[in-house]
Structure formats: structure tokens, C-alpha cells
Amino acid sequence: MDQTKQEEEYGYDLFPERKPGEHKKTSIAESLFTFNHKCQVMLQFAVETSEYQLFSLFLSGCSKVFKDRHFSCEDCDGTVSGGFDAASSQIVLCQNNIHQQSHMNRVVTHELIHAFDHCRAHVDWFNNFRHLACSEIRAANLSGDCSFTNEVARFNFGFKRHHQECVRGRALRSILAVRKISRAEAEKIVDEVFDSCFNDHAPFGRIPHSKRDAKFAYRDYMNRDRYYANL
Amino acid sequence: THQIRQCFSSSLLRCIGEPVQTVASVSCSWGAALSVVFCCFKPPRACEDYWSEFRHCKSFKNWFHHYYTYGTVPSCQQWKEDYHNCREWEKHRGTEAKEALRRSEKIRVAEQRNFIPVWQLRQEPPRDWHVPLNQEKPQDS
């Protein structure tokens, strides 16, 4: 498969600074004339939040996530906010599309869920649409993307069971953004895996809607030895 | 008898403070056997944890999020029962309370696993997770 085709097939065309298999270091000029510095600062704040600390503990076999190795601030096309590049084990943050700290926090959590799935399972990101859909469903479900307040800010005023509609919709959007398949096909795949993936709350054990949920998830994680020994 | 008593009380103290598995490694005979009978089990969660889960479950915020996610109101009674069983076990060490707690937690674990995974879990993390991006550039951690 030639390079251009591969770029389009796997969504790399959204991340023009990122060619599959290559790594480019940001130059000083680029740092000055892009949002790179702002992105780095916001990322630093994001990794200092307690949710991040908690999450990095959970990261299963990939015991440590290093800010300099596993995160990259880059310019991206369109309105995409971030991505997970399995080829280089990096979380991409779109410096030109993330302008608020709360947005940064949410994108970091969303992409960390992809990283978590990559670390704990054999996810075939490039060839298996069901795997991709599953991770997108989980990321939309567990990252706070679909919280009531975020949906209202997008002028989506649903309430009863609206969370699930939002998760479905956002997973669909994410798949269509990075893969060349029809909407009908993508919907079918999301429907097939939705029940399984929506109910997979690893590593939290619950859908973390609030700080207290996150705190209790952390408590359960620290207590896991005692818990399973006494069942 | 003095030795058995000493062995029993030290096993008991260790059992209260440490995970169940270590009790089996205590090498003294009768004392260890007695302490295993008495304290082989601890409630899966601390009793205060059951109570805080109950309070959290009953909160307005949780009601709101649950209805927003599932379209139903959350059911919190089980946390309260577990809390009472936990306290009951602490006071009287009864088997009924212990079994009720175990049953309840096993149901919770089953609910968490009530789906067919789409992918296969790894035995080890991906090999290239920590591999540096550029061979000539040293990576900061």
C-alpha cells in the first residue's frame, strides 16, 4: 500500500504533521508561530489533575505514561481535537483546535481511554472496525464527552437516556472522521458492538460522572486485593 | 498452653491487619488453626465504604446522572443492606451476614462482567510502548 493511500485510509491526513512511521520534532520557529506553547502549558495542567493521576495508575501494563514521550501537540485539520496513534504509542493533541483548559482535560481523558485499551487488549486499530468502534464508544462514554452540561453547550437538549444517544452519535462521528466507510456501514458496526462496549466500564468500574465517582473508583482500585480475596 | 495462646493472639493480630493469604503462612499449629477459623474473612469493603456508597447513591446528583444515562431511577437499597450486614458481622461474626455480603458482591462483579468482549485481552503490554521515537534523541521521562 503506498504512503498516500495509507495516510487517507487510516485518518493520518487529519494530522498533517504526522506521517505513519516518521517522527518530526517541533522547531523553535514552529513553537513561536503556532499554538504549541499554549498546548504544552494546558497539557501540563491537565496531567496535574487528580483524575489524570488516578488514570495513569490504571494504565495496566503500560505502567507509566510520560508527558514528553506519549503526548504530542500538533496542528490538525478540520475540527478534530485529538487522536491516538497506535503506531508510535502517542496521544496527539490538536493545538489549533483546543483553546480551553476544560476541553484539554476532556481530550486527554478521552485519548487515555484509547491508550488504556491499546495497553490491555489486542486492539487492531487499523483493520478491525469493530475494535475501533468499541474504543470510541468507551471513550465517549467514560471521558465526560457526553455529560449533560457538554451536551447542552452543543445545544443538544436531551435528558432521559440522552447519554447513550450522545455516545452513539459521537462514536459514529469519530469513526467517520478517520475511516473511509459509509455512514450506514458505520452505524451498523456501532449497533453491533454498542451493548458490549457501553457496559465495559474498565478501569473505573462505573461511569465517572462526577469527582466523587472518580474518587470512589480510585478507592475501589486501591482496595482490590482485599475485595477479591474476600469474595 | 501459653505457647498456643501466644501463637493464637499473634496470628489474630496479623489476620486483622493483613490480607487473608498471609494467615496460611503462619507456622504455629493450634493457634493458627483457631485464628483461621475466626478471621479468615474480612468484609470485601470497609463498612464506612458501604455507607458512603449508599449516601452517594441517594444523592440528587447521582439520581440525575443515572436517569440521564439509563432512563431509570437508581436502586440504592442493596448498599444499605450491605452496610448493615457488614456491621452485623463486625459485632457477632455470624455466617449469615458474611454469606449475604459475599452474595451481594458476587452479583456486583457479575454485573460488571455482563458483556461479551469485542477483543482479546493481552497477557503483556505492547512491546513498543516505551521504545524511543528517535534513536539518536534521548527521551526525557
Side-chain angles (χ1 to χ4, degrees):
Chain A
M1 196 183 292
D2 68 61
Q3 181 104 327
T4 337
K5 187 162 189 286
Q6 192 180 43
E7 280 167 32
E8 282 176 18
E9 291 257 334
Y10 299 141
Y12 279 104
D13 51 339
L14 289 171
F15 306 99
E17 292 185 37
R18 177 164 291 265
K19 300 263 182 279
E22 281 177 36
H23 170 69
K24 193 173 81 82
K25 192 176 170 337
T26 317
S27 71
I28 293 175
E30 279 169 340
S31 302
L32 285 174
F33 294 109
T34 64
F35 289 110
N36 190 270
H37 180 70
K38 182 178 174 186
C39 180
Q40 299 284 358
V41 169
M42 288 202 289
L43 173 60
Q44 182 61 37
F45 272 107
V47 306
E48 285 165 7
T49 61
S50 53
E51 287 86 356
Y52 175 85
Q53 305 294 341
L54 159 64
F55 212 129
S56 56
L57 272 184
F58 282 152
L59 225 76
S60 192
C62 300
S63 51
K64 281 224 163 222
V65 175
F66 297 118
K67 188 167 74 70
D68 295 330
R69 164 65 179 83
H70 295 114
F71 289 92
S72 174
C73 284
E74 295 169 14
D75 278 332
C76 310
D77 277 0
T79 54
V80 66
S81 307
F84 176 67
D85 182 9
S88 60
S89 305
Q90 272 200 321
I91 288 170
V92 179
L93 302 165
C94 297
Q95 61 199 21
N96 56 328
N97 292 330
I98 304 174
H99 299 296
Q100 286 179 337
Q101 187 63 51
S102 57
H103 190 192
M104 172 62 83
N105 294 350
R106 201 158 38 82
V107 174
V108 166
T109 310
H110 180 114
E111 302 307 332
L112 276 173
I113 288 166
H114 292 317
F116 175 77
D117 287 338
H118 180 68
C119 283
R120 63 154 178 160
H122 290 285
V123 181
D124 185 357
W125 299 98
F126 299 110
N127 301 314
N128 191 327
F129 289 139
R130 289 163 57 91
H131 287 188
L132 176 64
C134 193
S135 194
E136 291 296 351
I137 288 166
R138 279 176 33 80
N141 186 21
L142 302 171
S143 65
D145 274 351
C146 283
S147 72
F148 181 76
T149 28
N150 281 331
E151 277 290 273
V152 163
R154 295 176 194 123
F155 302 107
N156 296 327
F157 298 108
F159 183 40
K160 181 175 177 174
R161 259 180 138 230
H162 181 74
H163 180 87
Q164 293 188 39
E165 266 177 56
C166 169
V167 168
R168 239 180 240 276
R170 291 189 74 75
L172 196 63
R173 259 185 47 174
S174 298
I175 296 166
L176 292 173
V178 295
R179 293 291 184 271
K180 298 229 175 309
I181 54 170
S182 68
R183 193 183 177 87
E185 235 184 297
E187 277 177 0
K188 182 166 167 285
I189 292 167
V190 166
D191 283 340
E192 269 174 28
V193 300
F194 189 80
D195 282 338
S196 168
C197 305
F198 186 76
N199 290 310
D200 181 358
H201 300 152
F204 300 107
R206 62 186 84 201
I207 299 174
H209 292 288
S210 63
K211 280 203 184 313
R212 183 136 5 115
D213 282 320
K215 189 172 135 198
F216 283 7
Y218 178 72
R219 185 174 71 181
D220 290 348
Y221 176 76
M222 297 307 278
N223 189 48
R224 66 198 182 287
D225 288 340
R226 169 177 169 170
Y227 185 74
Y228 288 107
N230 288 292
L231 287 186
Chain B
T1 355
H2 171 72
Q3 263 185 327
I4 292 172
R5 223 181 18 241
Q6 218 179 21
C7 191
F8 169 70
S9 46
S10 68
S11 308
L12 200 62
L13 283 168
R14 287 187 61 184
C15 190
I16 289 167
E18 291 189 328
V20 165
Q21 294 90 313
T22 62
V23 173
S25 70
V26 170
S27 54
C28 46
S29 47
W30 288 106
L34 284 168
S35 71
V36 162
V37 166
F38 276 104
C39 62
C40 202
F41 169 80
K42 262 197 309 199
R45 303 173 209 249
C47 294
E48 308 82 67
D49 290 358
Y50 285 113
W51 187 250
S52 61
E53 288 282 7
F54 172 66
R55 296 298 307 149
H56 174 62
C57 182
K58 295 290 272 181
S59 68
F60 172 73
K61 255 190 173 175
N62 185 62
W63 177 90
F64 186 93
H65 288 306
H66 197 275
Y67 195 78
Y68 177 66
T69 309
Y70 299 107
T72 58
V73 298
S75 157
C76 304
Q77 197 52 29
Q78 192 56 50
W79 288 117
K80 195 176 185 189
E81 269 180 47
D82 289 343
Y83 171 72
H84 287 307
N85 281 324
C86 189
R87 288 293 184 214
E88 175 64 31
W89 184 85
E90 275 185 344
K91 269 197 276 215
H92 302 123
R93 296 286 199 266
T95 20
E96 252 184 63
K98 177 176 103 174
E99 288 312 315
L101 264 176
R102 273 191 167 151
R103 245 191 330 264
S104 160
E105 291 292 2
K106 278 182 178 151
I107 290 172
R108 282 205 183 96
V109 170
E111 275 168 4
Q112 275 297 307
R113 293 177 184 169
N114 191 20
F115 62 91
I116 301 167
V118 158
W119 43 50
Q120 206 190 4
L121 291 178
R122 287 181 189 266
Q123 301 298 324
E124 283 162 0
R127 263 170 294 145
D128 54 1
W129 182 254
H130 285 299
V131 165
L133 290 163
N134 286 335
Q135 293 308 311
E136 51 298 350
K137 176 181 178 280
Q139 288 294 321
D140 297 332
S141 317

